[in-house]
Amino acid sequence: MARKILFDTDPGIDDAMAILAALRSPELEVVGLTTVFGNADVDTCALNGLRLVELEGHDHIPVSKGAGAPLFRRELDLGTEVHGLDGMGNTNPPPPRGRLDPRPAVQFILEMVRTYPGELTLVPLGPLTNIAMALQQDPEIASLVEEVVLMGGSAFGVGNISPVAEANIFHDAHAAEIVFRADWDVTMVGLDVTTKTIVQPEDLSRLYAGKNPATDLLERIQPCYQAFHDQVYGLNGAFHLHDPSVTAYLLKPELYTAIQAPVYVETTGLCFGKTIADVHRQWGARRAARILVEADSRAVIDLLIDRLIQ
Ligand code: BDR
Ligand code: CA
């Protein structure tokens, strides 16, 4: 039986690749997309969610709009310089055909968890605002969700949006702290593995040779992402596989090694958004998260490309 997953996402160039690969994988059943601000404003991200499910005939999958800003704080800080103003690499995609689900994201998440008790995996690929709000509204969901597999954080390395913080966690550190504090099974797919999984131009040639709607879309939108990775990391056309690593982990967890440690999130000061792994349990009895630390990067990239071109 296919594993039921719900993406909470801010599409987003790498979100698109993660979602399209999942939609093409029979082991996974996507029960819905909830959307959040992050890579672009939430209205843009919600429309992109619709575009993604419609691209290859998955129009029946509901897409719901969620939080447009973090729980508390500060000015809204979007990833448009990485993903384009439209979240799709400034390609100005046509409007989606369908409409958003009328339920707000938090309501949709709560209903899905209760519809599939013990069976649903939440897969956040953006700031954790919707997930934290769902937990706050109905704390019981912690015992009803099968697993939370999220892209975010950096346990043992540097950050990307700041010297210490990863972007998804930084965009709503308070929400992330709520998610890591809850008593549920969390897998953290952070920069520890995603920055070691670097897709090369020759991989992209193989991907784009797929010549299907998914690979054609990725071919259009990814140059913007490549330009960012060139400019900031000097990667010469290569880029980090952040959100798609989550799909790879869902499909083949054996491609990763993990450690278990409670995770805390800094919510003040210069280190705002930093994730801290309490490896020696010195800060108390918080439930440990599964923190991915190593990846068989070659196999991850090949797996994702295979799914996208098959
Ligand atoms: C994360 O931030 C966003 O730019 C990506 O979509 C990914 O979810 C990487 O830090
Ligand atoms: Ca994302």
Side-chain angles (χ1 to χ4, degrees):
M1 209 176 61
R3 179 172 182 178
K4 291 183 172 42
I5 65 171
L6 187 158
F7 280 114
D8 185 66
T9 173
D10 58 340
I13 292 171
D14 62 327
D15 303 68
M17 189 182 192
I19 292 165
L20 293 171
L23 290 172
R24 292 174 140 259
S25 295
E27 303 95 321
L28 302 174
E29 179 192 343
V30 181
V31 304
L33 261 52
T34 51
T35 53
V36 63
F37 76 96
N39 290 327
D41 65 82
V42 69
D43 292 304
T44 302
C45 290
L47 293 181
N48 287 341
L50 275 177
R51 291 181 174 105
L52 291 172
V53 296
E54 290 173 1
L55 186 68
E56 295 190 299
H58 298 96
D59 309 45
H60 62 282
I61 297 178
V63 178
S64 135
K65 191 171 87 170
L71 292 182
F72 310 103
R73 85 142 190 177
R74 298 160 66 124
E75 66 294 349
L76 195 58
D77 175 17
L78 301 171
T80 46
E81 78 287 1
V82 186
H83 297 264
L85 281 173
D86 55 11
M88 290 278 130
N90 291 322
T91 56
N92 193 23
R97 294 185 295 274
R99 288 178 182 278
L100 293 170
D101 191 279
R103 291 167 287 185
V106 171
Q107 184 188 344
F108 185 80
I109 292 167
L110 296 178
E111 284 185 20
M112 287 301 114
V113 173
R114 297 250 169 214
T115 304
Y116 304 113
E119 278 183 63
L120 184 64
T121 296
L122 298 181
V123 187
L125 305 178
L128 289 159
T129 320
N130 292 334
I131 308 294
M133 287 169 72
L135 260 178
Q136 284 180 320
Q137 212 164 300
D138 183 357
E140 251 183 44
I141 63 166
S143 63
L144 298 173
V145 161
E146 190 197 356
E147 187 180 347
V148 181
V149 183
L150 64 88
M151 192 284 135
S154 175
F156 302 106
V158 297
N160 57 1
I161 202 166
S162 89
V164 297
E166 182 280 327
N168 287 341
I169 304 296
F170 182 88
H171 281 136
D172 197 342
H174 296 92
E177 171 60 12
I178 289 169
V179 170
F180 282 112
R181 188 165 64 207
D183 184 14
W184 56 3
D185 184 350
V186 176
T187 297
M188 173 174 145
V189 185
L191 301 181
D192 306 277
V193 287
T194 66
T195 56
K196 291 178 196 149
T197 307
I198 302 177
V199 67
Q200 299 293 335
E202 50 273 27
D203 298 317
L204 295 175
S205 302
R206 187 163 93 83
L207 177 69
Y208 301 154
K211 294 276 170 245
N212 61 45
T215 60
D216 287 353
L217 177 76
L218 295 173
E219 185 170 12
R220 280 200 300 281
I221 66 179
Q222 280 174 335
C224 174
Y225 206 54
Q226 286 173 294
F228 171 80
H229 282 79
D230 258 353
Q231 194 192 328
V232 177
Y233 304 106
L235 280 180
N236 285 322
F239 55 80
H240 300 141
L241 273 189
H242 296 302
D243 296 341
S245 294
V246 173
T247 302
Y249 174 78
L250 290 167
L251 293 170
K252 289 202 176 183
E254 64 273 19
L255 298 181
Y256 292 89
T257 45
I259 62 145
Q260 299 276 344
V263 173
Y264 293 78
V265 182
E266 179 58 79
T267 54
T268 59
L270 209 52
C271 292
F272 185 87
K274 178 177 171 57
T275 44
I276 301 141
D278 181 16
V279 176
H280 300 299
R281 313 291 202 277
Q282 289 160 300
W283 282 351
R286 178 173 292 194
R287 179 162 169 173
R290 188 179 302 100
I291 303 171
L292 304 192
V293 289
E294 291 297 337
D296 180 345
S297 301
R298 185 69 259 155
V300 166
I301 293 166
D302 286 341
L303 170 66
L304 291 164
I305 294 177
D306 286 348
R307 294 309 169 101
L308 286 161
I309 66 177
Q310 75 198 356

